[in-house]
Amino acid sequence: MESRWVSADSLRAGFASAMSAMYQQEVPQYGTLLKLVSQVNAEVLAQNPALKQQLERDNELSRLSVERHGAIRVGTAAELAMLRQVFAIMGMYPVGYYDLSQAGVPVHSTAFRPLDDDALNANPFRLFTSLLRLELIDDPSLQQQAAEILAARDIFTPRCRELVSLHQQQGGLTEQQAEEFIPQVLETFRWHQQTTVDQGTYQALLDQHRLIADVVCFPGCHINHLTPRTLDIDRVQALMPDAGITPKAIIEGPPRREVPILLRQTSFKALDEAVRFRDAQQGTHTARFGEIEQRGIALTAKGRELYDRLLQESETGTDNRVHQQKLGDIFQAFPDDAKTLRVQQLAWFTFRLSEKGRALPEQIAAQQNIETLLDAGLISATPMIYEDFLPVSAAGIFQSNLGSETKARSQGHSSKAEFEKALGAAVQDEIALYAQRQKASLARCGVTQMR
Ligand code: OOG
Ligand code: NI
């Protein structure tokens, strides 16, 4: 029977596209970046028919053009907990814990994203969501003042709150309610020129940390960037200046590889935007920027350890070409072919039955060895895309948009338990999610015990 409720996948797709339309209006450079990315993606697909075929076969091509992530920052536990309920309606759940305080950014974060294969293929939209850690403001009276300013605002519209309650009572939203829900949710992420504070307060918070002013001084939690997914980040980075966009110096994350791993990212610098203070003073605020990403295969815990170790060995340079060269040399130690990644259990794959495999289930039942089954053409394997974020890269992105005056805050300590308390729920472990999906894909092929 067809449900009378609009599906979470369709709500998420509607929300992602509404966010993109709003951000294109607010930050025209984002629209330019989107065009550049889709042009480069089309070129890559035209030059690489095998890749195109693989993406088509795995249902991944359709998600590429709608694929993006965004980032927001909230000020209080109550805001974060309410966001969790809003995002759950759209099939986005908190995955992973990121502690940015080590890198001098007074926040900790999670990513709200879809969890299973079908939802990810339908629309993988994710939001990197950070909670400000007011306890890291070292002036107690300013800390108190910031808490009061935050307590006085409601970043959700009354109708948004009503529709969330309605969803909880009914178990879903009708078509008509869904049409209302998306624009209501959008209001939370809209940019406001008008701040909630006078210029003096803004300046005092800014002097503590740029990010604190960004979170505390506005009536909502404006989306600070949206990030399309490219198939060739080096090429987009190289073409950005021609399109009138200045990229950040370094592409974050792993180097270019045959089998791309995890996530590579670059961004353009935050814009200076006009704002009005409560005391009618005019000023500017820098927070919103653009970013692109290239996603590769998700790594197992073992693969991730190797990645983290190699990344630590390489220090960050200021010249991208030199940096990528050095990174490439160091990452020679990371196997770069699908078979080794599988056999050494460094990365996750999705397995599928081939025509032949479908005709010969008894051979699979008897065999149960992945490499043998692959060699015999009974099953196929494709890289499972990394759906999450990288704390070191995220810190680099934050910092490039905060200016060089960022102070390191050594007093910051990782506090997943505090974050989960604020969120009102546990965050899911990303590695466990990839493991489950790989196991389920093998089970669908009839491989239940690995040999
Ligand atoms: C989030 C920065 C992190 C990413 O892609 O790693 C991020 C922020 O600036 O709020 O978006
Ligand atoms: Ni980002």
Side-chain angles (χ1 to χ4, degrees):
M1 196 188 76
E2 202 161 295
S3 165
R4 49 194 285 240
W5 311 128
V6 175
S7 73
D9 287 350
S10 132
L11 287 168
R12 183 174 64 263
F15 172 62
S17 107
M19 285 280 264
S20 180
M22 180 173 82
Y23 202 58
Q24 280 178 68
Q25 278 206 332
E26 290 181 349
V27 179
Q29 277 202 343
Y30 167 65
T32 311
L33 198 60
L34 278 185
K35 282 201 203 91
L36 184 58
V37 166
S38 80
Q39 176 201 323
V40 167
N41 285 355
E43 281 166 21
V44 171
L45 292 171
Q47 283 158 12
N48 193 342
L51 177 67
K52 183 168 180 200
Q53 227 177 17
Q54 182 215 306
L55 292 173
E56 241 161 18
R57 191 192 56 207
D58 300 345
N59 274 332
E60 272 181 24
L61 201 55
S62 56
R63 80 177 234 188
L64 188 67
S65 59
V66 297
E67 175 145 6
R68 50 187 70 93
H69 82 250
I72 49 174
R73 306 153 182 170
V74 295
T76 66
E79 291 172 354
L80 182 67
M82 182 65 187
L83 278 182
R84 176 173 61 80
Q85 298 175 55
V86 170
F87 292 145
I89 292 175
M90 303 190 274
M92 297 159 77
Y93 304 96
V95 178
Y97 172 74
Y98 303 85
D99 172 29
L100 278 306
S101 70
Q102 310 292 332
V105 185
V107 301
H108 45 185
S109 320
T110 191
F112 286 94
R113 69 159 172 90
L115 302 179
D116 59 45
D117 292 345
D118 289 345
L120 286 162
N121 279 339
N123 187 300
F125 187 60
R126 19 180 135 57
L127 276 171
F128 191 88
T129 302
S130 301
L131 174 64
L132 183 64
R133 299 176 71 180
L134 277 182
E135 75 272 17
L136 300 183
I137 297 187
D138 37 46
D139 171 347
S141 73
L142 197 60
Q143 196 182 111
Q144 174 68 25
Q145 193 188 4
E148 281 165 15
I149 297 167
L150 287 169
R153 76 177 186 183
D154 188 351
I155 62 173
F156 303 96
T157 67
R159 188 59 185 153
C160 173
R161 289 186 176 277
E162 277 167 23
L163 288 165
V164 170
S165 307
L166 198 63
H167 185 282
Q168 286 161 357
Q169 288 155 28
Q170 301 179 147
L173 294 178
T174 64
E175 196 71 56
Q176 201 187 358
Q177 289 158 352
E179 260 166 46
E180 233 191 314
F181 180 65
I182 290 170
Q184 289 295 329
V185 174
L186 213 58
E187 286 310 304
T188 298
F189 308 108
R190 189 181 291 288
W191 169 248
H192 297 270
Q193 268 203 349
Q194 180 70 48
T195 70
T196 54
V197 300
D198 58 40
Q199 191 175 27
T201 307
Y202 175 85
Q203 195 58 47
L205 290 166
L206 193 79
D207 290 346
Q208 275 288 316
H209 197 292
R210 281 185 162 278
L211 205 73
I212 298 175
D214 183 57
V215 177
V216 175
C217 301
F218 294 86
C221 68
H222 43 255
I223 174 91
N224 69 55
H225 65 280
L226 277 178
T227 305
R229 176 175 162 203
T230 174
L231 296 171
D232 188 345
I233 197 166
D234 300 286
R235 181 139 179 83
V236 179
Q237 167 105 349
L239 290 173
M240 271 157 83
D242 292 345
I245 304 172
T246 313
K248 119 186 218 320
I250 295 290
I251 297 178
E252 300 283 348
R256 187 181 184 91
R257 295 162 46 89
E258 283 305 311
V259 183
I261 54 172
L262 298 172
L263 176 62
R264 303 181 69 205
Q265 293 164 283
T266 184
S267 58
F268 66 74
K269 288 260 157 61
L271 316 165
D272 279 330
E273 295 177 276
V275 290
R276 278 188 313 274
F277 298 106
R278 279 279 287 272
D279 49 356
Q281 297 290 329
Q282 305 281 331
T284 60
H285 180 68
T286 25
R288 299 184 318 148
F289 60 98
E291 184 193 45
I292 52 167
E293 65 184 16
Q294 180 169 359
R295 290 188 174 263
I297 193 168
L299 300 184
T300 61
K302 183 181 166 200
R304 182 54 188 266
E305 268 165 40
L306 180 57
Y307 170 78
D308 285 335
R309 187 160 61 70
L310 296 178
L311 193 72
Q312 264 200 340
E313 278 175 30
S314 65
E315 62 245 49
T316 331
T318 48
D319 180 288
N320 191 46
R321 208 182 49 78
V322 177
H323 175 67
Q324 295 301 326
Q325 180 72 49
K326 283 195 194 152
L327 212 52
D329 291 346
I330 291 171
F331 272 78
Q332 293 286 331
F334 205 115
D336 194 13
D337 65 281
K339 179 162 183 168
T340 314
L341 291 172
R342 271 195 313 270
V343 172
Q344 295 191 6
Q345 300 191 351
L346 293 167
W348 302 108
F349 290 81
T350 301
F351 297 92
R352 290 184 178 81
L353 272 178
S354 64
E355 286 290 317
K356 189 174 165 194
R358 216 162 295 153
L360 298 167
E362 63 290 346
Q363 279 198 19
I364 295 177
Q367 182 43 258
Q368 301 285 301
N369 178 290
I370 295 175
E371 295 309 313
T372 315
L373 292 170
L374 283 166
D375 289 342
L378 296 167
I379 61 174
S380 68
T382 38
M384 196 180 283
I385 295 296
Y386 187 60
E387 306 290 347
D388 296 287
F389 294 87
L390 298 169
V392 175
S393 302
I397 301 278
F398 266 112
Q399 271 152 357
S400 94
N401 284 291
L402 293 170
S404 49
E405 75 271 37
T406 313
K407 297 181 243 169
R409 269 157 204 270
S410 49
Q411 72 266 49
H413 58 283
S414 175
S415 185
K416 187 173 166 198
E418 271 168 50
F419 185 84
E420 290 182 327
K421 199 167 139 224
L423 181 68
V427 297
Q428 303 215 37
D429 176 47
E430 68 275 17
I431 304 259
L433 290 171
Y434 295 118
Q436 272 167 28
R437 286 171 57 210
Q438 175 173 298
K439 195 168 167 211
S441 82
L442 281 167
R444 285 193 296 271
C445 295
V447 181
T448 46
Q449 53 203 121
M450 289 221 253
R451 278 189 208 133

